[in-house]
Every structure is written in C-alpha cells, then in structure tokens.
Amino acid sequence: MYGDYQIELYLGALGGVLPAHPFDYAELERSALAALPPELRTYVAGGAGDEATQRGNAAAFADHGLVPRMFRAQAERDLSVELFGRRLQSPLLLAPVGVLGICTPDQHGDVHGMEAAAATGVPFIGSTLMSDPLEDVAAAAPDAAKWFQLYTPKNRELAASLVSRAEAAGYEAIVITLDTWVPGWRPRDLASGNFPQLRGKCLANYTSDPIFQEMTGPDPDPGTVVMTWVGTFGNPITWDDLPWLRSLTTMPILVKGVCHPDDARRALDEGVDGIYCSNHGGRQANGGGAALDWLPGVVEAVGDRAPIVFDSGVRTGADVVKALAMGATAVAIGRPYVYALALGGVPGAVHQIRSLQAEADLTMAVDGYPTLADLTPDALRRLR
Ligand SMILES: Cc1cc2nc3c(=O)[nH]c(=O)nc-3n(C[C@H](O)[C@H](O)[C@H](O)COP(=O)(O)O)c2cc1C
C-alpha cells in the first residue's frame, strides 16, 4: 500500500532519522528555486502573462471537495490502472518538461527523471527538448514505462525521424503537444532574457538526429545549430496535419493541450488514441480558466472511447484524487517533481512521487473510495 510510506517515515524518525526532503509544496518550490541557477528560476517557475491562469490551475482544486463516505473502509486499496496495454500500479505519470536536463547540477536531469520514474513505477514522458539523446535517457531504465513527447518540427522528415527513434528506443506512446508551436508571452523570461534553447541548451535530440545533421551540415558551430533549430521548431499544426502525424507510427498517440470537448471528439474521430487535457501549466496562454475547469467537458465528450491524461496545477495527493474523480484516467505531475529533482536529486524526486502516491492512497482510504472505480464525480461537491 502506498500509504505505508508514512510508516517508513515514522519508524525512521523513531530511529533518529528525520526526512531529508520537504513535504510542503511552497517550501519545496522556495528551496528548489534557491538551489537552481538564476537563469533557470524564471523559466521553471514562470508562466504566461501575469500568471493568473497558472495560479488558477492550482487554486481550482480548492473549489471542489471530496465527500467522505463511511462504512466502506477497506484495508487493501487498488490504485492501479491499465493504459495502452500496460498495467500501472498508480495513476501517475511524469509530465514532459523541456529543461529537466539542466535542472540537475550534472546536466543529466532527463536521465535522473527516468531513474526516479523507474524507482517508483511511474511512467516518464520525455520531452523533445532533452540534454541527452532520447536513446541514452531510455537506456537509463530499459524496463521503465516511458512515453515520448513530440514538439512537431516544421521539417516532416525530422518529425518522422524523432518518432521512429523513440519507438526503436523503447518509448511506448507519443504525446503530441499542440499548444507550443509558438512560445507564450512570458514576462519573467522576457525581462531576464531567459530562453535556454537559444543558448543551445536541451537540443540533444536535434543534434543527435541524422536529419537535423543534414540540415546543419557537418560540424556546425553552435550558432548554426541554434538558428537551424529556430527555423524548424514550432510547426503550426492544424487538423490537416493530423492524418500525416497519425501515419508516422502505430504506437498510441495522445494529443496534449486539448481543453475543448469538440477538439477531443474530433481528435478521436481522426484516429488518436488518448486525450491529454492540459493548459501547459499556464505557461503558454494567460486569461484562460484553470485546466481543471475544462476537464469535465472533455470527460463528457470522450466518454469511454479513450483514456484521458490530465495535468496543470496538481500539487498534492488530494489533487490527484480530485482529478481522477472528475474523470481523468491518469494524472501527470509537472513542477513538483522538477523542483524535487532539482533540490534533492533522484532521492528527492522519489520522495516527492512516493508522497503523492501515499497521500492519494490514504485520502482514498479515509474517505471510503478504495479503488479508482469508486472515484466518480459523485465523490466531489462544488464548494464555490
Ligand atoms: C519548465 C517547464 C518546461 C516544460 N516543457 C514542456 C515540454 O517540453 N513539453 C510539453 O509538452 N510540456 C512541457 N511543460 C508542461 C508540462 O508538461 C505540464 O503540462 C505542466 O508542467 C503542468 O503544470 P504544473 O507544472 O504547474 O502542474 C513544461 C513545464 C515546465 C514547468
């Protein structure tokens, strides 16, 4: 039982060992930002516009309350879920994060994210923007569940190459992110001039790619690499591109950034296998509702046709339970695991993931929802 993590922690304390990593999200964020190099702080913490949407993502969870149910206590809980033919022991994933690679001092953060995923059984979704090639990141945990997130480049051959490399390296699904074909307006980064990719960071999946190498020519200088990347990043995808994207692989495809029921319905009609409801943590467009506000509409449109992954604003195990009760099939963790990895390395990230699993498990236990099937919208009441 994931909740048994607390027994481990209490017993450790009895033996004189207090936990080395934080439990509270605000404290985690504060400490991690202090540990990160200044040029990364705004990039990880910041969002679009005045960040109202970003703050709203996390705040929205407080608008919904889980109703406790009694006489349903069950010592054994089951948080497992089947996703694309693989049974996961918990309904969590690690969201794709494009500068993860440089969030650890050794600049191999993607590898360490994968290691934390392997240690917890939680799938790792590797971003297109890695500091090590996707093959090396996969090799860090050959048996771990892993998906690859595609920022679709303008060069179609490069897109095909990235997808086929991911498949060959053992990634099991492709997440196509739709909301980032152009960077959002991020005042904190604009004010500090922070955009790691323009400094040549996290481009390993490009520089290791044979098609990209053809585009730059042999032995390119750093400026050529960056300008070639600028020239191909960010394909403004429309519905006309979806048949081509679908044709790139027989692996399951999820589309990330879907918040409108009509978009979810049409994407499924056109052959995608999963919907990833997210507003990119409020990093891309300000002025929207919280991603959680859009989830019920997406759930209603999708029905039981396909799994729904949700992220944006998940900070606690109770948040995870609420998103599941609303109808998400699985929940992805973004900044919390990035901060934990930056602050405490793999042990810090493992602690963060185990804490989320434990809190979700114990919340379900105490509130009388012992399995994911028990978590329906009836478990929730709108508070405000
Ligand atoms: C620093 C940072 C980089 C990100 N890079 C990517 C990326 O490369 N690809 C992607 O699809 N989403 C990316 N995201 C968005 C996450 O996948 C996820 O949607 C978001 O972190 C959820 O919001 P939250 O962290 O506030 O919970 C990034 C998020 C952050 C914080």
Side-chain angles (χ1 to χ4, degrees):
M1 289 294 99
Y2 289 115
D4 292 349
Y5 186 38
Q6 67 172 348
I7 299 174
E8 196 179 312
L9 292 164
Y10 285 129
L11 288 179
L14 284 180
V17 184
L18 282 176
H21 310 285
F23 292 88
D24 173 64
Y25 181 74
E27 183 191 341
L28 171 67
E29 180 176 50
R30 216 172 21 251
S31 307
L33 289 176
L36 279 170
E39 67 276 12
L40 267 176
R41 285 178 200 149
T42 61
Y43 191 80
V44 179
D50 69 1
E51 301 179 355
T53 296
Q54 177 168 309
R55 287 188 298 278
N57 279 339
F61 286 89
D63 295 343
H64 305 270
L66 288 158
V67 193
R69 301 298 306 270
M70 295 298 123
F71 292 107
R72 305 203 316 194
Q74 202 164 297
E76 300 290 312
R77 274 87 57 196
D78 183 4
L79 275 70
S80 73
V81 64
E82 177 136 343
L83 264 186
F84 305 120
R86 191 192 260 265
R87 182 147 286 275
L88 306 174
Q89 290 312 305
S90 72
L92 295 184
L93 302 114
L94 300 186
V97 168
V99 293
L100 189 64
I102 53 175
C103 285
T104 59
D106 66 0
Q107 312 282 292
H108 296 295
D110 302 295
V111 167
H112 301 316
M114 184 69 86
E115 289 166 348
T120 53
V122 168
F124 179 77
I125 311 178
S127 167
T128 306
L129 297 165
M130 288 178 176
S131 64
D132 286 297
L134 61 92
E135 290 85 356
D136 296 1
V137 174
D143 297 330
K146 49 186 83 69
W147 298 358
F148 181 70
Q149 175 266 325
L150 181 72
Y151 279 138
T152 311
K154 290 184 185 132
N155 183 317
R156 285 189 163 201
E157 279 181 78
L158 177 59
S161 176
L162 288 167
V163 170
S164 67
R165 285 172 58 196
E167 186 161 12
Y171 294 80
E172 295 165 13
I174 299 290
V175 173
I176 299 174
T177 299
L178 300 170
D179 59 13
T180 313
W181 54 273
V182 64
W185 179 254
R186 294 184 199 151
R188 284 209 238 182
D189 287 336
L190 291 165
S192 54
N194 276 338
F195 202 93
Q197 298 87 310
L198 292 182
R199 299 176 199 270
K201 306 278 190 192
C202 305
L203 301 182
N205 284 330
Y206 297 87
T207 52
S208 59
D209 192 279
I211 303 292
F212 190 81
Q213 289 164 1
E214 276 174 27
M215 292 161 71
T216 57
D219 297 323
D221 57 64
T224 304
V225 168
V226 169
M227 290 324 290
T228 308
W229 177 78
V230 168
T232 196
F233 183 84
N235 191 336
I237 295 294
T238 70
W239 290 112
D240 292 342
D241 298 299
L242 189 48
W244 161 69
L245 284 163
R246 176 67 276 181
S247 76
L248 293 180
T249 182
T250 56
M251 279 189 286
I253 290 180
L254 297 93
V255 279
K256 179 168 186 272
V258 171
C259 294
H260 194 291
D262 290 349
D263 293 347
R265 227 176 266 119
R266 181 160 174 191
L268 291 175
D269 289 346
E270 306 227 2
V272 311
D273 305 281
I275 299 297
Y276 193 143
C277 177
S278 161
N279 64 12
H280 215 106
R283 296 167 63 75
Q284 278 298 94
N286 197 34
L292 193 72
D293 294 330
W294 309 138
L295 180 59
V298 169
V299 167
E300 198 188 339
V302 171
D304 56 9
R305 292 177 73 189
I308 300 169
V309 174
F310 173 82
D311 80 21
S312 294
V314 177
R315 301 291 176 259
T316 68
D319 293 346
V320 171
V321 177
K322 289 179 188 181
L324 294 170
M326 253 183 218
T329 315
V331 175
I333 307 304
R335 289 181 177 93
Y337 96 87
V338 180
Y339 288 141
L341 189 73
L343 185 64
V346 175
V350 168
H351 165 78
Q352 176 64 27
I353 297 163
R354 290 188 72 191
S355 298
L356 289 166
Q357 288 170 324
E359 191 194 344
D361 177 33
L362 292 170
T363 304
M364 289 168 62
V366 173
D367 278 351
Y369 303 101
T371 73
L372 296 191
D374 297 312
L375 282 174
T376 66
D378 186 53
L380 288 176
R381 294 292 179 276
R382 181 115 204 163
L383 304 177
R384 279 182 278 279

